[in-house]
Coordinates of all heavy atoms in Angstrom, one line a residue:
G234 N 11.8 26.0 17.4 CA 12.4 24.8 16.7 C 13.4 24.0 17.6 O 13.6 22.8 17.4
D235 N 14.0 24.7 18.6 CA 15.0 24.0 19.4 C 14.3 23.5 20.7 O 15.0 23.0 21.6 CB 16.1 24.9 19.8 CG 17.0 25.2 18.7 OD1 17.0 24.4 17.8 OD2 17.7 26.3 18.7
S236 N 13.0 23.7 20.8 CA 12.4 23.4 22.1 C 12.3 21.9 22.3 O 12.4 21.1 21.4 CB 11.0 24.0 22.1 OG 10.2 23.3 21.2
A237 N 12.2 21.5 23.6 CA 12.2 20.1 23.9 C 11.1 19.3 23.1 O 11.4 18.3 22.5 CB 11.9 19.9 25.4
A238 N 9.9 19.9 23.0 CA 8.9 19.2 22.3 C 9.2 19.0 20.8 O 9.0 18.0 20.3 CB 7.6 20.0 22.5
S239 N 9.8 20.1 20.2 CA 10.2 20.0 18.8 C 11.2 18.9 18.6 O 11.2 18.1 17.7 CB 10.8 21.3 18.3 OG 9.8 22.3 18.3
R240 N 12.2 18.8 19.6 CA 13.2 17.8 19.4 C 12.6 16.4 19.5 O 13.0 15.5 18.8 CB 14.3 18.0 20.5 CG 15.1 19.2 20.2 CD 16.4 19.1 20.9 NE 16.7 20.3 21.6 CZ 16.9 20.4 22.9 NH1 16.9 19.4 23.7 NH2 17.2 21.6 23.4
I241 N 11.7 16.2 20.5 CA 11.1 14.9 20.6 C 10.3 14.6 19.3 O 10.5 13.5 18.7 CB 10.1 14.9 21.8 CG1 10.8 15.0 23.1 CG2 9.2 13.6 21.7 CD1 9.9 15.0 24.3
I242 N 9.6 15.6 18.8 CA 8.8 15.3 17.6 C 9.7 15.0 16.4 O 9.5 14.0 15.7 CB 7.9 16.5 17.2 CG1 6.8 16.6 18.3 CG2 7.3 16.4 15.9 CD1 6.1 17.9 18.3
D243 N 10.8 15.7 16.3 CA 11.8 15.5 15.2 C 12.3 14.1 15.3 O 12.4 13.3 14.3 CB 13.0 16.4 15.3 CG 12.6 17.8 14.8 OD1 11.6 18.0 14.2 OD2 13.5 18.7 15.0
M244 N 12.6 13.7 16.5 CA 13.2 12.4 16.7 C 12.3 11.3 16.3 O 12.6 10.3 15.6 CB 13.6 12.2 18.2 CG 14.7 11.3 18.3 SD 15.5 11.7 19.9 CE 16.1 10.0 20.2
V245 N 11.0 11.4 16.8 CA 10.0 10.4 16.4 C 9.8 10.4 14.9 O 9.7 9.3 14.3 CB 8.7 10.6 17.2 CG1 7.7 9.6 16.8 CG2 9.0 10.5 18.7
E246 N 9.7 11.6 14.4 CA 9.5 11.7 12.9 C 10.6 11.1 12.1 O 10.3 10.5 11.1 CB 9.3 13.1 12.5 CG 7.9 13.6 12.9 CD 7.7 15.0 12.4 OE1 8.6 15.7 12.0 OE2 6.5 15.4 12.4
N247 N 11.8 11.2 12.5 CA 12.9 10.7 11.8 C 13.2 9.2 12.0 O 14.0 8.6 11.3 CB 14.2 11.5 12.0 CG 14.0 12.9 11.5 OD1 13.4 13.1 10.5 ND2 14.6 13.9 12.2
A248 N 12.5 8.7 13.1 CA 12.8 7.4 13.5 C 12.6 6.4 12.4 O 13.3 5.4 12.3 CB 12.0 7.0 14.7
A249 N 11.6 6.6 11.6 CA 11.2 5.6 10.6 C 12.3 5.3 9.6 O 12.4 4.3 9.0 CB 9.9 6.0 9.9
S250 N 13.2 6.3 9.4 CA 14.2 6.2 8.4 C 15.4 5.3 8.9 O 16.1 4.7 8.0 CB 14.8 7.6 8.0 OG 15.3 8.2 9.1
R251 N 15.6 5.1 10.2 CA 16.6 4.2 10.6 C 16.0 2.8 10.8 O 15.5 2.4 11.8 CB 17.2 4.6 12.0 CG 17.6 6.1 12.0 CD 19.0 6.3 11.5 NE 20.0 5.4 12.0 CZ 21.0 5.9 12.8 NH1 21.0 7.1 13.2 NH2 21.9 5.0 13.2
K252 N 15.9 2.1 9.7 CA 15.2 0.8 9.7 C 15.9 -0.3 10.4 O 17.1 -0.4 10.4 CB 14.9 0.4 8.2 CG 13.9 1.3 7.6 CD 13.1 0.4 6.7 CE 11.8 1.1 6.2 NZ 12.1 2.2 5.4
A253 N 15.1 -1.1 11.0 CA 15.6 -2.3 11.6 C 15.9 -3.3 10.5 O 15.3 -3.2 9.4 CB 14.6 -3.0 12.5
S254 N 16.8 -4.2 10.7 CA 17.2 -5.1 9.6 C 16.0 -6.0 9.3 O 15.8 -6.4 8.1 CB 18.4 -6.0 10.0 OG 18.0 -6.9 11.0
A255 N 15.1 -6.3 10.2 CA 13.9 -7.1 9.9 C 13.1 -6.3 8.9 O 12.5 -6.9 8.0 CB 13.1 -7.4 11.1
E256 N 13.0 -5.0 9.1 CA 12.2 -4.2 8.1 C 12.8 -4.2 6.7 O 12.1 -4.3 5.7 CB 12.1 -2.7 8.6 CG 11.2 -2.5 9.8 CD 11.3 -1.1 10.3 OE1 12.2 -0.8 11.1 OE2 10.5 -0.3 9.9
R257 N 14.1 -4.0 6.7 CA 14.8 -4.0 5.4 C 14.6 -5.3 4.7 O 14.4 -5.4 3.5 CB 16.2 -3.6 5.6 CG 16.4 -2.2 5.8 CD 17.9 -1.8 5.7 NE 18.7 -2.5 6.7 CZ 19.1 -2.0 7.8 NH1 19.0 -0.7 8.1 NH2 19.8 -2.7 8.7
T258 N 14.8 -6.4 5.5 CA 14.7 -7.8 4.9 C 13.3 -8.0 4.3 O 13.2 -8.5 3.2 CB 14.9 -8.8 6.0 OG1 16.0 -8.4 6.7 CG2 15.2 -10.2 5.4
V259 N 12.3 -7.5 5.1 CA 10.9 -7.7 4.6 C 10.7 -7.0 3.3 O 10.1 -7.5 2.3 CB 9.9 -7.3 5.6 CG1 8.5 -7.1 5.0 CG2 9.8 -8.4 6.7
S260 N 11.2 -5.7 3.2 CA 10.9 -5.1 1.9 C 11.7 -5.6 0.7 O 11.2 -5.7 -0.4 CB 11.0 -3.5 2.0 OG 12.0 -3.1 2.8
K261 N 12.9 -6.1 1.1 CA 13.7 -6.8 0.0 C 13.0 -8.0 -0.4 O 12.9 -8.3 -1.6 CB 15.1 -7.2 0.6 CG 16.2 -6.2 0.2 CD 17.5 -6.8 0.5 CE 18.4 -5.8 1.3 NZ 19.3 -6.5 2.2
F262 N 12.5 -8.8 0.6 CA 11.8 -10.0 0.3 C 10.6 -9.8 -0.6 O 10.4 -10.5 -1.6 CB 11.4 -10.6 1.7 CG 10.5 -11.8 1.6 CD1 11.0 -13.0 1.4 CD2 9.1 -11.6 1.9 CE1 10.2 -14.1 1.3 CE2 8.3 -12.7 1.9 CZ 8.8 -14.0 1.6
A263 N 9.9 -8.8 -0.3 CA 8.7 -8.5 -1.1 C 9.1 -8.2 -2.6 O 8.3 -8.6 -3.5 CB 7.9 -7.3 -0.5
R264 N 10.2 -7.6 -2.8 CA 10.6 -7.2 -4.1 C 10.9 -8.5 -4.9 O 10.7 -8.5 -6.1 CB 11.8 -6.3 -4.0 CG 11.5 -5.0 -4.8 CD 12.6 -4.0 -4.5 NE 12.5 -3.4 -3.2 CZ 13.5 -3.0 -2.4 NH1 14.7 -3.2 -2.8 NH2 13.3 -2.4 -1.3
I265 N 11.5 -9.5 -4.3 CA 11.9 -10.7 -5.1 C 10.6 -11.6 -5.1 O 10.4 -12.3 -6.1 CB 13.0 -11.5 -4.4 CG1 14.1 -10.5 -4.0 CG2 13.5 -12.6 -5.2 CD1 15.1 -11.1 -3.0
Y266 N 9.9 -11.6 -4.0 CA 8.8 -12.6 -3.8 C 7.7 -12.4 -4.9 O 7.3 -13.3 -5.5 CB 8.3 -12.4 -2.4 CG 7.1 -13.1 -2.0 CD1 7.1 -14.4 -1.6 CD2 5.8 -12.5 -2.1 CE1 6.0 -15.1 -1.2 CE2 4.7 -13.1 -1.7 CZ 4.8 -14.4 -1.2 OH 3.6 -15.1 -0.9
T267 N 7.3 -11.1 -5.1 CA 6.1 -10.9 -5.9 C 6.4 -11.4 -7.4 O 5.6 -12.2 -7.8 CB 5.7 -9.4 -5.9 OG1 5.6 -9.0 -4.6 CG2 4.4 -9.2 -6.6
P268 N 7.5 -11.0 -8.0 CA 7.6 -11.6 -9.4 C 7.8 -13.1 -9.3 O 7.3 -13.8 -10.2 CB 9.0 -11.0 -9.8 CG 9.4 -10.0 -8.8 CD 8.5 -10.0 -7.7
A269 N 8.4 -13.7 -8.3 CA 8.6 -15.1 -8.2 C 7.2 -15.8 -8.2 O 7.0 -16.8 -8.8 CB 9.4 -15.5 -7.0
V270 N 6.3 -15.3 -7.4 CA 5.0 -15.9 -7.2 C 4.2 -15.8 -8.5 O 3.5 -16.7 -8.9 CB 4.3 -15.2 -6.0 CG1 2.8 -15.6 -6.1 CG2 4.9 -15.6 -4.7
V271 N 4.4 -14.6 -9.2 CA 3.6 -14.5 -10.4 C 4.1 -15.5 -11.4 O 3.3 -16.2 -12.1 CB 3.8 -13.0 -11.0 CG1 3.2 -12.9 -12.4 CG2 3.2 -12.0 -10.1
A272 N 5.4 -15.7 -11.5 CA 6.0 -16.7 -12.4 C 5.4 -18.0 -12.1 O 5.0 -18.8 -13.0 CB 7.5 -16.6 -12.4
A273 N 5.4 -18.4 -10.8 CA 4.9 -19.7 -10.4 C 3.5 -19.8 -10.8 O 3.1 -20.9 -11.2 CB 5.1 -19.8 -8.9
A274 N 2.7 -18.8 -10.6 CA 1.3 -18.8 -11.0 C 1.1 -19.1 -12.5 O 0.2 -19.9 -12.9 CB 0.6 -17.5 -10.6
V275 N 1.9 -18.4 -13.3 CA 1.8 -18.6 -14.7 C 2.1 -20.1 -15.1 O 1.4 -20.7 -15.8 CB 2.7 -17.6 -15.5 CG1 2.8 -18.0 -17.0 CG2 2.2 -16.2 -15.3
L276 N 3.2 -20.6 -14.5 CA 3.5 -22.0 -14.7 C 2.4 -22.9 -14.3 O 2.1 -23.8 -15.0 CB 4.8 -22.3 -14.0 CG 6.1 -21.7 -14.5 CD1 7.3 -22.1 -13.6 CD2 6.3 -22.0 -15.9
L277 N 1.8 -22.6 -13.2 CA 0.7 -23.4 -12.6 C -0.5 -23.4 -13.6 O -1.2 -24.4 -13.7 CB 0.3 -22.9 -11.2 CG -0.8 -23.7 -10.5 CD1 -0.2 -25.1 -10.2 CD2 -1.2 -23.0 -9.2
A278 N -0.7 -22.3 -14.2 CA -1.9 -22.2 -15.1 C -1.6 -22.9 -16.5 O -2.4 -23.6 -17.0 CB -2.2 -20.7 -15.4
V279 N -0.3 -22.8 -16.9 CA 0.0 -23.3 -18.3 C 0.3 -24.7 -18.3 O -0.3 -25.5 -19.1 CB 1.1 -22.4 -18.9 CG1 1.5 -22.9 -20.3 CG2 0.6 -20.9 -19.0
I280 N 1.3 -25.1 -17.5 CA 1.9 -26.5 -17.7 C 0.8 -27.6 -17.5 O 0.6 -28.4 -18.4 CB 3.1 -26.7 -16.9 CG1 4.2 -25.7 -17.4 CG2 3.6 -28.2 -16.9 CD1 5.5 -25.7 -16.6
P281 N 0.1 -27.6 -16.3 CA -0.9 -28.7 -16.2 C -2.0 -28.7 -17.2 O -2.5 -29.7 -17.7 CB -1.4 -28.5 -14.8 CG -0.5 -27.6 -14.1 CD 0.1 -26.8 -15.2
S282 N -2.3 -27.4 -17.6 CA -3.4 -27.3 -18.6 C -3.0 -27.9 -20.0 O -3.8 -28.6 -20.6 CB -3.7 -25.8 -18.9 OG -4.1 -25.2 -17.7
L283 N -1.7 -27.7 -20.3 CA -1.2 -28.3 -21.6 C -1.3 -29.8 -21.5 O -1.6 -30.5 -22.5 CB 0.2 -27.8 -21.8 CG 0.4 -26.4 -22.3 CD1 1.8 -26.0 -22.5 CD2 -0.4 -26.1 -23.6
I284 N -1.0 -30.4 -20.3 CA -1.0 -31.8 -20.1 C -2.5 -32.4 -20.1 O -2.8 -33.3 -20.8 CB -0.3 -32.2 -18.9 CG1 1.2 -31.8 -19.0 CG2 -0.3 -33.7 -18.6 CD1 2.0 -31.8 -17.7
T285 N -3.3 -31.7 -19.2 CA -4.6 -32.2 -19.0 C -5.7 -31.7 -20.0 O -6.7 -32.2 -20.1 CB -5.1 -32.0 -17.6 OG1 -5.2 -30.5 -17.4 CG2 -4.2 -32.5 -16.5
G286 N -5.4 -30.5 -20.5 CA -6.3 -29.9 -21.4 C -7.4 -29.2 -20.6 O -8.3 -28.5 -21.2
N287 N -7.4 -29.2 -19.3 CA -8.5 -28.6 -18.5 C -8.0 -27.2 -18.1 O -7.7 -26.9 -16.9 CB -8.7 -29.5 -17.2 CG -9.9 -29.0 -16.5 OD1 -10.5 -28.0 -16.8 ND2 -10.3 -29.8 -15.5
W288 N -8.1 -26.3 -19.0 CA -7.6 -24.9 -18.8 C -8.4 -24.2 -17.7 O -7.8 -23.6 -16.8 CB -7.7 -24.1 -20.1 CG -6.6 -24.4 -21.0 CD1 -6.6 -25.5 -21.9 CD2 -5.4 -23.8 -21.1 NE1 -5.5 -25.5 -22.6 CE2 -4.6 -24.5 -22.1 CE3 -4.7 -22.8 -20.5 CZ2 -3.3 -24.2 -22.5 CZ3 -3.5 -22.4 -20.8 CH2 -2.8 -23.1 -21.8
G289 N -9.7 -24.4 -17.7 CA -10.6 -23.7 -16.7 C -10.1 -24.0 -15.2 O -9.9 -23.1 -14.4
E290 N -10.0 -25.2 -14.9 CA -9.6 -25.7 -13.6 C -8.2 -25.1 -13.2 O -8.1 -24.5 -12.1 CB -9.6 -27.2 -13.5 CG -8.9 -27.8 -12.3 CD -9.7 -27.5 -11.0 OE1 -10.9 -27.0 -11.1 OE2 -9.1 -27.6 -9.9
W291 N -7.2 -25.2 -14.0 CA -5.9 -24.7 -13.6 C -5.7 -23.2 -13.6 O -5.0 -22.7 -12.8 CB -4.9 -25.4 -14.5 CG -4.8 -26.9 -14.2 CD1 -5.3 -27.9 -14.9 CD2 -4.1 -27.4 -13.0 NE1 -5.1 -29.1 -14.2 CE2 -4.3 -28.8 -13.1 CE3 -3.4 -26.9 -12.0 CZ2 -3.9 -29.7 -12.1 CZ3 -2.9 -27.8 -11.0 CH2 -3.1 -29.2 -11.1
I292 N -6.5 -22.6 -14.5 CA -6.4 -21.1 -14.4 C -7.1 -20.6 -13.1 O -6.6 -19.8 -12.4 CB -7.1 -20.4 -15.6 CG1 -6.3 -20.7 -16.8 CG2 -7.4 -18.9 -15.4 CD1 -6.9 -20.1 -18.1
H293 N -8.1 -21.3 -12.7 CA -8.8 -21.0 -11.4 C -7.9 -21.2 -10.3 O -7.7 -20.4 -9.4 CB -10.0 -21.9 -11.3 CG -10.9 -21.5 -10.2 ND1 -11.7 -22.4 -9.4 CD2 -11.2 -20.3 -9.6 CE1 -12.3 -21.8 -8.5 NE2 -12.1 -20.5 -8.6
R294 N -7.2 -22.4 -10.2 CA -6.2 -22.7 -9.2 C -5.1 -21.6 -9.2 O -4.7 -21.2 -8.1 CB -5.5 -24.0 -9.4 CG -6.5 -25.2 -9.1 CD -5.7 -26.4 -9.0 NE -6.6 -27.6 -9.0 CZ -6.2 -28.8 -9.0 NH1 -4.9 -29.1 -8.9 NH2 -7.1 -29.8 -9.0
S295 N -4.7 -21.2 -10.3 CA -3.6 -20.3 -10.4 C -4.0 -18.9 -9.9 O -3.3 -18.2 -9.2 CB -3.1 -20.2 -11.8 OG -2.7 -18.9 -12.2
L296 N -5.3 -18.6 -10.1 CA -5.8 -17.3 -9.6 C -5.9 -17.3 -8.0 O -5.5 -16.4 -7.4 CB -7.2 -17.0 -10.1 CG -7.3 -16.7 -11.6 CD1 -8.7 -16.6 -12.1 CD2 -6.6 -15.4 -11.9

Side-chain angles (χ1 to χ4, degrees):
D235 288 337
S236 66
S239 293
R240 286 202 228 122
I241 293 182
I242 293 170
D243 285 349
M244 208 160 149
V245 176
E246 283 184 345
N247 293 326
S250 58
R251 310 277 309 248
K252 287 217 165 70
S254 68
E256 287 174 274
R257 283 191 298 256
T258 315
V259 162
S260 35
K261 260 192 229 148
F262 171 77
R264 237 171 280 145
I265 312 165
Y266 172 86
T267 310
V270 166
V271 172
V275 171
L276 292 180
L277 184 64
V279 175
I280 295 176
S282 302
L283 286 177
I284 298 168
T285 63
N287 190 351
W288 285 86
E290 168 65 15
W291 288 100
I292 290 178
H293 190 213
R294 285 192 194 182
S295 146
L296 290 172

